[in-house]
Amino acid sequence: MTEYASRSMVSGDRPLRRDMRLLGWRYHRLLEEHGGHDLRQTLDRLRGLAEQRLLGDAGAHDRIAELLAGESLERLTDLAHAMGLFFDLANLAEDRHRVRVLNGRQAAGVERETLSAAATALAQADPAQRDTLLQGLSIEPVFTGHPTEAKRRSARRALRRLRRDLVALDPPDPRPRARRLRLERMDRDLSALWYTDPISPRKPSVMEELSRTLFAVRSVWRVAPALLADARAAFGMDDADAVHAFRPLQLGLWVGGDRDGNPYVTADVTRRTLARLHRTAIRMHRRECRKVRRRLTLSAAQAGLPDHLKSRITEACANHPALAERVQRLHPQEWLVQWLEVIDHRLRRSLAPPGMPTPADGYATADALLDDLRILRDALHDAGHDELVGGALQRWRDRIGVFGLHLLRLDIRINSADLAEAVDGVMDRFGWSPRFAEMDEPARRAALQRELPPDWRQLVKPRELPTGLRDMARLFRLLAAVSRVGRGEAVGNLIVSMTHEASDLQAALWLARVFGRGEPARMPVAPLFETIDDLQRSEALLRDALADPGYRGHIDRTGGKLECMVGYSDSAKDGGYLASNWGLYGCQERLAELAKQHDLKLTVFHGRGGAIGRGGGPAARAIQSLPPSALDGRLRLTEQGEVIAERYDDPAIARRHLEQLFWGALTVSNRGDHGSGEVQPDARRVMTDMAGAAESAYRDLVQSPGFLPFLQHCSPLTHVAGMNLGSRPSRRRGAASLDDLRAIPFTFALNQARAPINAFYGLGAAYQSLSDEDRKLARQLYERWRWFRAVIDNASSGLARCDVSIARRYADLSPEPESMHALCDDLEREFQRATQAVLDLQGQEQLLGAVPWLRRTVRVRTPYIDMLNLIQLELLRRRPNLAQPADVEQLDQAMRGSIQALAAGLRNTG
């Protein structure tokens, strides 16, 4: 690690170099004490050979492979484990330095992409337009349960403790004993990490995934009030009513509601999830209540509190003897404390099972709780104590605005095929034919508009239905009940994944009405467009859906909001990187125009992942490249897997990330800052031509005879699928096909094999297909069009992580080398073309040339990542030759370790 520090740091990064030296010294001592001198010597030798490869020695990798072939399985396991710990500590130091840099920039007043910068940009806008934008501002990160987090929670806890101790040592503690105790604690945590299996031995349950997510939510709970206070200050919101109405941030959730291909998300699990969220929110609000109570111990007589506050306390106690008894034990002049006791009582009484009415003396909605806090605020204001309105009281009010009584809004996601199957089941109960799944689109729509049988309610009683249909019925009944009792804020969207036709949306509404006993849940039914074809057809599909009075009426009942989700993962897996990005851009433009024609408020929900091939990359860059007409101050996007840990584990990083989301949404939505303005016809023509050529090249690759065998038998796909990263299976419906394989394991496995094709493949062929004049235009587009620049810059990152020579070694594992050789030749040819295209467009001489710190990071990590790839390859080579179950289990354990270590080194999984 010392060598890593010396090569990766530049002048001025002294604190980071110090952290690297500290962690590096303790890491090497750990290797000596627990791994043994031989292990450290082997690591040093491997690193030296890997460095020689970076310096141009083409045979270095062969010598590493020969050395590894002679090692025992136990030694290979230890090597992978040691390398994984090395990257964990390097990431820890880098993340710590990132916070240090953020704090330094903030102190120096040189931060970019801030709320103040957004306010400055909006100052030039029309005041009415600015106010409308701020009033409608809505930022909603949605935490998903997608299995891309490769590290076990126990390992993350130990790393968090190490991070806290690292922070405490910066600056160095002048007390020698305190410093020594912290270093000793770090040594203990490092020792524990060495002996801790970083991979879970079993798949987590859905409720365990929920616990993981709630850990990250606590960071947002901590930083949200400060973020909102900064926003109000930046935009000059001094009026109390404006402050009260300003609620631009909320959080969403898929864990417990995402049924797409996950048989473990049942109606009961959804019910338990809603109950857990509600219970956690109440507990956290009661904690805030106690904090405020400790600060507002004013005497009514001395502080001049108004009499109407005492009247309200008396009124509340009159109907509840237990409350009256508790209030009587309090100081008789501390009316504010007494009123907070009333609020605490109502919070306790607010707990109710999902779908059941809230007790009369509880809070049915967050607005009711805010109304009681407004009484407290008004009492302080009337008594002239405005300075006490802020602080803990305002922070609590902000948290209520963000988290409500539900903590996170739970989305429900169901695959269109599952909805069709459920409709078939109900229609079979009604005696209708033919099967819904076998009808064409006009027949489907007509069937969904048929009058229901007179006894339809009796025919769909859940307890009398087949198992699968029974669970769907219970889900829709639960959602209807939640809406009926006024708790609709607890649920977000009903998302129909793989939406191919308007009838897919109508089927969801039909089932909601039938199983909701004629009263469907008041939640938006949102299409999810995931394939290239569906992105292109999205406008026509939605136009057909809006022509249906039932669907349009449901939108009007849910606030006139048109919610649409676009999928970055499956579209890139389907048609490749460039076609996916262009299809997404055009889809959003067309949806925005359609919403405008129908006078609807459009919210585009961005289904982004962490990897470049799944819509990843810097969040601010991604937002800045969106079509302004499709944003308009409303931003909803997924946060998943390792991205959640990286962005939300540390409160300082979480706050910075959220501020960048605000900044991006505001500056793009500001009509005076459209980046390139309207996309010109020539630009559209060039992009359409490039996307078509790129899609053709990509599909030629993935449909070639060698691709699926490479993915299934040469890459670590099988081991990735068996790593117990999440509760759901790696395939949607269990079919052994590329179409059924989820985008996450697809991307994860290719990243591990250093062949991230959905992050660049086809871009080179597309650029090569252009005329000289169109290439000149493309270079101009890179300079002035934020979307195109983001696409090219992200591709540069994907190319920098690709290594065709490593991918060839994975391909050599195939028993059919001929098709593999052709596949790798195609990969190498396109890698060279795409690299040249990116450099030409950027005007650079080397990949990541415009981002020196990232180029240094990639270059420094590459030898260590190469070592891990070669370890993984040796394990894959040995796997078919093992017969004893114990040997197979040991090798699989080593494989899981190598996958986790590579994920840490690449800082990227799926």
Side-chain angles (χ1 to χ4, degrees):
M1 183 171 296
T2 304
E3 294 86 351
Y4 173 83
S6 66
R7 292 178 181 273
S8 64
M9 300 307 114
V10 295
S11 177
D13 290 338
R14 184 176 299 172
L16 178 53
R17 293 199 302 270
R18 184 189 65 221
D19 287 347
M20 286 296 221
R21 284 194 298 269
L22 173 66
L23 291 173
W25 181 69
R26 309 198 97 70
Y27 169 77
H28 288 127
R29 193 174 75 173
L30 176 78
L31 287 183
E32 289 281 357
E33 292 180 358
H34 299 284
H37 184 66
D38 287 346
L39 178 64
R40 179 171 175 179
Q41 279 191 322
T42 303
L43 276 171
D44 288 343
R45 186 178 175 190
L46 289 171
R47 186 183 64 246
L49 289 170
E51 292 278 3
Q52 290 175 28
R53 171 65 170 78
L54 195 64
L55 295 172
D57 184 349
H61 279 180
D62 289 333
R63 293 196 294 277
I64 293 176
E66 291 172 8
L67 190 155
L68 293 173
E71 296 288 355
S72 67
L73 186 54
E74 292 82 1
R75 176 52 56 86
L76 293 176
T77 303
D78 287 343
L79 287 169
H81 184 51
M83 289 301 303
L85 183 55
F86 165 82
F87 279 123
D88 286 340
L89 297 180
N91 294 343
L92 189 72
E94 288 184 2
D95 289 344
R96 168 60 197 142
H97 191 61
R98 180 181 173 192
V99 174
R100 190 185 287 122
V101 170
L102 289 175
N103 292 339
R105 287 177 179 170
Q106 188 175 30
V110 295
E111 270 189 304
R112 297 176 299 171
E113 302 172 355
T114 63
L115 287 162
S116 296
T120 301
L122 263 66
Q124 310 303 318
D126 176 78
Q129 179 184 319
R130 170 186 175 276
D131 291 344
T132 299
L133 176 58
L134 290 174
Q135 289 167 9
L137 183 64
S138 176
I139 308 297
E140 187 175 7
V142 180
F143 296 95
T144 79
H146 288 176
T148 61
E149 171 55 82
K151 198 176 304 301
R152 192 175 162 199
R153 284 182 66 198
S154 55
R156 282 218 164 271
R157 289 194 193 100
L159 289 169
R160 288 187 189 107
R161 291 193 298 270
L162 284 167
R163 182 184 65 205
R164 286 197 294 268
D165 284 328
L166 202 59
V167 171
L169 293 171
D170 181 19
D173 196 321
R175 299 166 299 173
R177 183 174 182 277
R179 180 176 176 81
R180 177 172 55 80
L181 290 175
R182 288 199 179 276
L183 291 173
E184 289 175 355
R185 185 163 61 188
M186 291 177 73
D187 287 337
R188 288 194 295 270
D189 279 327
L190 281 170
S191 296
L193 270 174
W194 179 259
Y195 292 106
T196 297
D197 184 354
I199 307 299
S200 177
R202 60 176 178 80
K203 278 187 174 293
S205 69
V206 178
M207 301 312 291
E208 287 171 334
E209 286 181 327
L210 179 59
S211 295
R212 289 181 183 176
T213 304
L214 293 183
F215 192 95
V217 170
R218 291 186 178 92
S219 288
V220 185
W221 182 278
R222 285 180 58 182
V223 304
L227 182 70
L228 295 179
D230 286 351
R232 290 191 294 266
F235 297 108
M237 293 183 179
D238 298 321
D239 179 76
D241 290 332
V243 170
H244 183 77
F246 187 59
R247 303 185 201 175
L249 176 65
Q250 57 186 330
L251 300 181
L253 179 71
W254 277 17
V255 181
D258 183 6
R259 300 167 66 95
D260 184 10
N262 192 340
Y264 306 109
V265 178
T266 63
D268 181 61
V269 164
T270 299
R271 184 189 302 275
R272 289 164 57 200
T273 299
L274 289 168
R276 171 90 179 271
L277 295 173
H278 181 47
R279 202 165 53 241
T280 303
I282 295 297
R283 184 175 67 250
M284 295 173 83
H285 284 311
R286 291 192 65 199
R287 188 181 304 136
E288 294 299 308
C289 185
R290 290 192 293 272
K291 289 179 183 177
V292 174
R293 179 171 165 169
R294 287 194 292 268
R295 288 164 172 79
L296 295 181
T297 54
L298 284 69
S299 170
Q302 294 176 331
L305 297 178
D307 291 338
H308 66 76
L309 179 60
K310 183 60 178 176
S311 300
R312 287 184 176 276
I313 296 169
T314 302
E315 182 183 348
C317 291
N319 299 320
H320 305 288
L323 172 61
E325 184 179 342
R326 282 194 297 273
V327 169
Q328 287 171 2
R329 291 198 293 266
L330 301 173
H331 193 293
Q333 284 295 307
E334 292 182 355
W335 296 354
L336 300 176
V337 171
Q338 292 178 13
W339 185 241
L340 285 162
E341 181 65 39
V342 172
I343 291 175
D344 186 62
H345 166 80
R346 295 194 66 185
L347 281 169
R348 285 199 306 272
R349 295 286 296 159
S350 298
L351 284 172
M356 298 298 291
T358 303
D361 56 337
Y363 294 113
T365 66
D367 282 339
L369 173 58
L370 282 169
D371 286 343
D372 275 358
L373 286 186
R374 189 189 295 220
I375 291 169
L376 195 68
R377 182 204 70 184
D378 290 348
L380 287 167
H381 177 73
D382 293 345
H385 300 294
D386 287 350
E387 73 280 3
L388 296 176
V389 171
L393 178 57
Q394 183 58 51
R395 288 194 294 272
W396 185 16
R397 291 170 64 199
D398 283 336
R399 286 173 174 135
I400 295 168
V402 173
F403 297 96
L405 301 179
H406 56 280
L407 203 65
L408 304 96
R409 294 199 309 159
L410 182 66
D411 281 352
I412 306 298
R413 185 169 74 141
I414 310 176
N415 193 286
S416 60
D418 293 332
L419 290 170
E421 188 175 315
V423 171
D424 268 335
V426 174
M427 289 186 173
D428 185 61
R429 302 281 296 178
F430 293 169
W432 294 358
S433 61
R435 288 178 56 81
F436 181 75
E438 296 170 356
M439 299 178 188
D440 61 18
E441 179 63 7
R444 282 186 168 206
R445 294 189 211 169
L448 294 171
Q449 292 172 358
R450 288 179 64 178
E451 186 175 347
L452 300 179
D455 58 344
W456 68 272
R457 286 183 172 85
Q458 298 300 316
L459 293 172
V460 293
K461 286 184 177 180
R463 64 176 178 272
E464 298 176 2
L465 297 175
T467 303
L469 190 58
R470 184 189 314 142
D471 191 70
M472 188 77 79
R474 286 175 172 163
L475 171 69
F476 280 108
R477 185 163 293 190
L478 168 65
L479 298 174
V482 168
S483 294
R484 192 162 47 245
V485 299
R487 299 294 299 279
E489 62 184 6
V491 293
N493 296 329
L494 173 57
I495 299 167
V496 180
S497 60
M498 288 297 170
T499 301
H500 301 307
E501 301 290 350
S503 61
D504 294 329
L505 303 175
Q506 294 163 332
L509 271 178
W510 190 81
L511 289 169
R513 181 165 65 92
V514 169
F515 290 139
R517 304 183 68 79
E519 190 177 344
R522 296 175 65 86
M523 59 189 299
V525 176
L528 170 49
F529 302 117
E530 301 177 82
T531 67
I532 300 294
D533 182 58
D534 289 336
L535 289 170
Q536 292 171 345
R537 296 175 51 251
S538 58
E539 179 193 11
L541 186 156
L542 267 179
R543 196 177 294 280
D544 288 344
L546 290 170
D548 172 43
Y551 185 68
R552 176 58 199 252
H554 186 75
I555 288 178
D556 292 338
R557 286 192 298 274
T558 53
K561 297 176 182 178
L562 179 62
E563 304 264 359
C564 298
M565 185 173 181
V566 291
Y568 291 69
S569 305
D570 280 284
S571 59
K573 171 175 166 280
D574 175 43
Y577 178 70
L578 192 61
S580 167
N581 277 278
W582 183 234
L584 288 159
Y585 192 92
C587 170
Q588 292 175 69
E589 285 188 312
R590 293 188 294 272
L591 292 178
E593 180 59 30
L594 181 65
K596 182 179 179 181
Q597 293 170 6
H598 287 263
D599 194 25
L600 296 172
K601 297 176 182 177
L602 172 68
T603 298
V604 177
F605 181 12
H606 301 272
R608 294 180 177 274
I612 298 297
R614 296 188 53 242
R621 178 196 294 170
I623 298 167
Q624 285 288 294
S625 67
L626 296 176
S629 60
L631 187 53
D632 203 21
R634 292 181 292 276
L635 177 65
R636 203 166 194 255
L637 74 167
T638 53
E639 305 275 34
Q640 52 188 278
E642 79 282 354
V643 169
I644 295 177
E646 289 179 5
R647 291 176 176 170
Y648 294 95
D649 264 10
D650 189 298
I653 293 177
R655 185 191 179 287
R656 178 60 178 152
H657 172 63
L658 292 171
E659 183 174 34
Q660 287 179 310
L661 296 184
F662 273 78
W663 169 82
L666 286 166
T667 54
V668 173
S669 299
N670 177 19
R671 300 302 179 188
D673 182 19
H674 287 193
S676 62
E678 292 297 320
V679 182
Q680 298 301 314
D682 278 354
R684 290 187 185 278
R685 175 185 56 77
V686 168
M687 282 313 310
T688 300
D689 291 346
M690 288 183 69
E695 182 180 359
S696 178
Y698 175 83
R699 286 190 167 160
D700 283 347
L701 179 78
V702 297
Q703 293 171 6
S704 66
F707 183 75
L708 195 55
F710 172 81
L711 190 62
Q712 292 179 327
H713 306 303
C714 301
S715 82
L717 175 65
T718 303
H719 295 274
V720 165
M723 278 187 67
N724 300 322
L725 302 182
S727 65
R728 73 180 190 176
S730 61
R731 296 184 181 273
R732 276 191 163 93
R733 302 176 73 83
S737 67
L738 188 59
D739 288 341
D740 196 60
L741 178 66
R742 290 187 181 276
I744 289 173
F746 174 86
T747 304
F748 202 150
L750 289 171
N751 282 352
Q752 291 268 312
R754 309 287 289 282
I757 60 167
N758 52 352
F760 71 86
Y761 201 95
L763 177 60
Y767 191 67
Q768 191 177 66
S769 70
L770 298 179
S771 67
D772 290 343
E773 191 64 27
D774 282 346
R775 289 187 193 183
K776 180 180 178 181
L777 175 59
R779 288 191 290 271
Q780 294 171 354
L781 291 177
Y782 178 82
E783 292 300 324
R784 69 172 189 254
W785 188 9
R786 285 191 175 118
W787 173 82
F788 190 54
R789 190 185 312 147
V791 167
I792 299 305
D793 290 349
N794 284 338
S796 179
S797 296
L799 287 162
R801 290 170 170 82
C802 179
D803 191 316
V804 181
S805 66
I806 294 289
R808 283 188 184 277
R809 290 178 178 270
Y810 281 89
D812 286 342
L813 298 173
S814 171
E816 300 176 359
E818 293 80 11
S819 61
M820 293 296 107
H821 290 161
L823 180 78
C824 290
D825 288 344
D826 289 342
L827 176 60
E828 183 158 21
R829 187 180 306 110
E830 180 57 21
F831 173 81
Q832 297 296 339
R833 289 188 302 200
T835 298
Q836 188 55 51
V838 166
L839 296 180
D840 191 33
L841 289 164
Q842 292 180 327
Q844 296 290 331
E845 295 181 357
Q846 53 189 359
L847 291 172
L848 303 178
V851 196
W853 67 267
L854 182 55
R855 178 171 173 78
R856 283 194 304 272
T857 297
V858 171
R859 184 186 183 282
V860 168
R861 285 176 178 244
T862 294
Y864 301 89
I865 292 169
D866 289 352
M867 288 162 53
L868 279 166
N869 278 122
L870 294 167
I871 291 170
Q872 188 176 93
L873 281 160
E874 178 61 27
L875 293 169
L876 287 169
R877 189 174 291 108
R878 294 186 189 188
R879 180 65 169 78
N881 300 322
L882 298 179
Q884 297 300 319
D887 293 337
V888 171
E889 173 55 32
Q890 185 176 5
L891 186 138
D892 288 346
Q893 176 73 5
M895 271 298 300
R896 290 191 291 269
S898 73
I899 291 170
Q900 185 275 325
L902 270 170
L906 293 166
R907 302 214 73 167
N908 205 290
T909 56

